[in-house]
Amino acid sequence: MTKTLPQKLQWIEDELQALQESGLYNHIRTLDSPQGAWLVVDGKRVLNFCSNNYLGLANYPRLVQAAKEAIDQYGVGPGAVRTIAGTMSLHVQLEKRLAAFKGVEDAITFQSGFNANLGTIPALVGRGDVIFSDELNHASIIDGSRLSRAQIVRYEHCNPADLEAKLKAHRHEFKRALVVTDGVFSMDGDIAPLDEIYDVTQHYDAILMVDDAHGEGVLGRGGRGIVDHFGLHGKVDIEVGTLSKAFGVVGGVVAGNAKIVEWLRQRGRPFLFSSAMTVPDTAACLAAVDLLEESTDLVDKLWANTRYFKAEMKALGFDTGQSVTPITPIMLGEATLAQEFSRRLFDEGVFAMAIGYPTVPKGKARIRVMISAAHEKADLDQGLAAFAKVGRALGVIA
Ligand SMILES: *Cc1c(COP(=O)(O)O)cnc(C)c1O
């Protein structure tokens, strides 16, 4: 039972009601198991096609062990913001290791990828400056851009020609300029043409920043990310990333030139005014870097699983959209169909979310399947059988 709200807050109840009625209310499922190929969701054991746990590290024994050992040595909490009493040798080690992994001079960690963007963008541009931003960039880039007070100019999704037109038209009106793009776009699984974006950006005296949240641990050699994927080392100024997806833990990272990182340690507000990553998070992330540097097995398995699942889905007759990454949208069209599809999959023991407007455009509703190295071939086969059964029952495939 919840209490009714006083008159001045009545609007919240009305808004919640409206969300329910329009089918946009988030019903959040509760897990009673670790993240992995299989989950216990609302008491039921289901195959997991929802999480960003690309490499299966969220419950990987070496990471869990590293977190436990670090707790025994350092406790759990950082105690303060990093500049005052919160930087531990673990944080310093993690930043050095992440920089080496990415092949850059230095790196700085934040509490999350979201905070990394909120901290980085306003430290680079401000009033009188301009940000050229892909129209489908992540919410944290949008919010970081707004916080900066710079003028925001949106360019067409993954369209370097439109970016160039916008740079030509507006660059000269402003002092500093930042071009920013997601590396991998999470709803369609497409990749920003970073090589072409670099070529364009280079001619307009603009800083180039990529948010590689879905590319880290996935793209490039051994999961070194989108810059490595395109061989753009030393050309992209700032790489933002997250430690919550392929790395399986939580935290954000900004990697690049040592002077830029030093500037963020002086001026990144979530770094200065919010406490650091906790001890177990930091230690688990260090173990994740160890794993990735030692072997490409998990990254290779992720891609083998991705290729298999997509080929089989296409053979069944499903439309898997434009994806070139483990993010696999199953295009269904109407939101009501996608929701019904997701419900029936759940009945078949498969947990895969329906995504509709406003997260994706109207009429482009879909089920999004997230492939992981945690999946075995038998898991994927079971998932494929469920998709085939529900797809036929709903007339999506023949
Ligand atoms: C997930 C995501 C983030 C947020 O990362 P967290 O570490 O979960 O805060 C930021 N940017 C992009 C592009 C993302 O996909």
Side-chain angles (χ1 to χ4, degrees):
M1 273 305 287
T2 54
K3 277 191 203 158
T4 50
L5 287 167
Q7 186 56 35
K8 64 188 172 185
L9 290 167
Q10 193 62 47
W11 62 270
I12 293 178
E13 261 179 54
D14 300 341
E15 292 286 343
L16 286 170
Q17 185 71 29
L19 287 176
Q20 294 268 17
E21 279 160 15
S22 56
L24 297 176
Y25 188 89
N26 273 326
H27 294 276
I28 302 173
R29 303 242 192 212
T30 306
L31 311 186
D32 278 308
S33 63
Q35 280 291 341
W38 291 84
L39 302 172
V40 178
V41 178
D42 298 335
K44 183 178 157 106
R45 187 166 178 275
V46 290
L47 179 61
N48 180 14
F49 276 156
C50 287
S51 75
N52 301 322
N53 183 24
Y54 289 112
L55 301 176
L57 298 186
N59 188 35
Y60 203 82
R62 260 177 79 176
L63 273 71
V64 172
Q65 188 59 31
K68 286 180 180 165
E69 285 169 12
I71 288 173
D72 287 340
Q73 193 175 352
Y74 296 99
V76 288
V81 300
R82 297 265 308 264
T83 47
I84 296 177
T87 290
M88 292 179 166
S89 52
L90 280 177
H91 294 113
V92 178
Q93 273 179 57
L94 177 60
E95 291 170 341
K96 287 211 171 95
R97 295 290 305 282
L98 285 169
F101 180 68
K102 304 287 264 177
V104 295
E105 284 183 0
D106 204 356
I108 175 174
T109 56
F110 287 82
Q111 305 82 0
S112 68
F114 203 106
N115 269 354
N117 279 324
L118 294 194
T120 302
I121 299 171
L124 296 172
V125 285
R127 240 190 264 281
D129 299 333
V130 59
I131 298 168
F132 297 90
S133 183
D134 186 291
E135 63 185 346
L136 295 188
N137 274 344
H138 189 262
S140 55
I141 294 179
I142 296 169
D143 288 6
S145 299
R146 287 178 180 156
L147 272 176
S148 77
R149 297 188 170 91
Q151 180 71 42
I152 301 164
V153 176
R154 301 194 331 159
Y155 63 89
E156 283 172 21
H157 176 53
C158 286
N159 185 342
D162 188 55
L163 168 62
E164 174 141 44
K166 300 267 157 70
L167 279 160
K168 207 170 248 163
H170 301 292
R171 170 66 188 96
H172 66 276
E173 299 162 15
F174 300 91
K175 207 169 56 181
R176 287 199 289 267
L178 173 70
V179 171
V180 59
T181 182
D182 278 23
V184 175
F185 291 83
S186 63
M187 289 304 141
D188 289 293
D190 53 337
I191 300 181
L194 199 58
D195 47 351
E196 295 171 59
I197 290 174
Y198 166 75
D199 287 342
V200 168
T201 302
Q202 217 193 351
H203 298 113
Y204 292 88
D205 185 29
I207 305 163
L208 178 55
M209 168 171 159
V210 65
D211 177 351
D212 201 22
H214 282 276
E216 217 133 40
V218 175
L219 295 178
R221 288 167 307 147
R224 281 167 175 75
I226 192 169
V227 170
D228 192 82
H229 171 84
F230 282 109
L232 291 169
H233 298 279
K235 294 180 170 170
V236 175
D237 300 302
I238 293 140
E239 282 177 78
V240 171
T242 177
L243 304 171
S244 71
K245 289 175 177 144
F247 277 72
V249 192
V250 77
V253 58
V254 186
N257 175 287
K259 284 280 189 287
I260 299 174
V261 171
E262 188 184 341
W263 177 241
L264 294 176
R265 289 205 181 94
Q266 302 302 319
R267 281 291 177 272
R269 287 171 68 86
F271 180 85
L272 296 169
F273 296 102
S274 181
S275 291
M277 286 173 70
T278 71
V279 168
D281 294 335
T282 313
C285 287
L286 265 166
V289 182
D290 283 343
L291 260 176
L292 287 170
E293 287 193 333
E294 282 166 22
S295 158
T296 63
D297 287 355
L298 290 173
V299 179
D300 296 343
K301 188 173 173 198
L302 169 67
W303 282 97
N305 281 350
T306 298
R307 282 189 293 272
Y308 177 70
F309 187 81
K310 278 195 178 139
E312 295 293 313
M313 285 297 279
K314 277 182 196 148
L316 284 169
F318 287 106
D319 172 7
T320 56
Q322 306 302 313
S323 171
V324 289
T325 62
I327 297 168
T328 310
I330 318 302
M331 308 306 287
L332 294 168
E334 289 313 308
T336 44
L337 174 61
Q339 277 164 3
E340 179 61 17
F341 207 113
S342 174
R343 257 194 302 278
R344 292 202 189 193
L345 283 174
F346 196 77
D347 292 341
E348 298 293 323
V350 175
F351 185 31
M353 285 303 266
I355 296 174
Y357 181 81
T359 310
V360 295
K362 281 201 172 115
K364 297 228 166 168
R366 65 201 63 185
I367 302 266
R368 191 180 62 159
V369 171
M370 303 298 282
I371 297 297
S372 168
H375 293 123
E376 297 304 331
K377 183 165 175 294
D379 301 327
L380 299 177
D381 285 337
Q382 203 167 327
L384 288 161
F387 265 97
K389 183 173 172 186
V390 175
R392 287 190 189 109
L394 292 178
V396 175
I397 56 168

